[in-house]
Amino acid sequence: MKGKPMSKRVNPMAIKMALTYEVSEAAAALGVSVATIRNWVRDGLPIMATKKPFLISGAELRDYLRAKNEASKRPLNENELTCFGCRAGRKPLAMAVACLPNTSKTSRLVGECEQCGGAASRLISNKRRDEFAATFHFKTGAHNEA
């Protein structure tokens, strides 16, 4: 796994539902370590432990990963950005944000966390830009042409 950056969330679609996996096979399919799979088993991932090697149902593993990914999501209120320092949804200082183009369909709101002063950000759809403009005070500048 050297050279490949690991993401925080694994893709459940990398697992075939009809197959069973040994711990090492599941780790290889998902690009995680064997220790990660063992931690998931301790955390509640069901295994077939009637004989060794222990097997993991592809359907059970996929369901476990989807539930784990869903539980890690932190939805934001309409007036919040994600603060990278607090790791939570926070209001920006004085509700002031810069609206920077991200893609042809999205923009990024960037502001300063009112609690810790760290960077805070949020992706928005360009279609909803006017809704967010009513909530936040968009800073004027060259980069706000979304």
Side-chain angles (χ1 to χ4, degrees), residues 81-104:
L81 306 177
T82 300
C83 174
F84 302 115
C86 299
R87 293 186 175 263
R90 301 283 189 223
K91 292 181 182 176
L93 189 63
M95 296 303 284
V97 296
C99 185
L100 308 173
N102 193 52
T103 67
S104 63

Side-chain angles (χ1 to χ4, degrees), residues 54-134:
F54 298 136
L55 296 177
I56 302 168
S57 162
E60 293 282 346
L61 180 54
R62 192 183 278 187
D63 291 343
Y64 175 82
L65 292 174
R66 284 185 174 147
K68 190 171 181 64
N69 287 346
E70 193 62 35
S72 69
K73 291 182 180 179
R74 295 183 180 102
L76 297 173
N77 292 328
E78 291 294 318
N79 62 347
E80 292 180 332
L81 306 177
T82 300
C83 174
F84 302 115
C86 299
R87 293 186 175 263
R90 301 283 189 223
K91 292 181 182 176
L93 189 63
M95 296 303 284
V97 296
C99 185
L100 308 173
N102 193 52
T103 67
S104 63
K105 294 183 180 182
T106 62
S107 294
R108 180 176 298 278
L109 300 181
V110 179
E112 186 178 333
C113 175
E114 72 177 0
Q115 287 198 333
C116 73
S121 175
R122 178 181 190 149
L123 283 177
I124 63 167
S125 167
N126 288 338
K127 291 179 183 176
R128 295 188 60 204
R129 189 169 186 251
D130 292 337
E131 292 175 43
F132 285 100

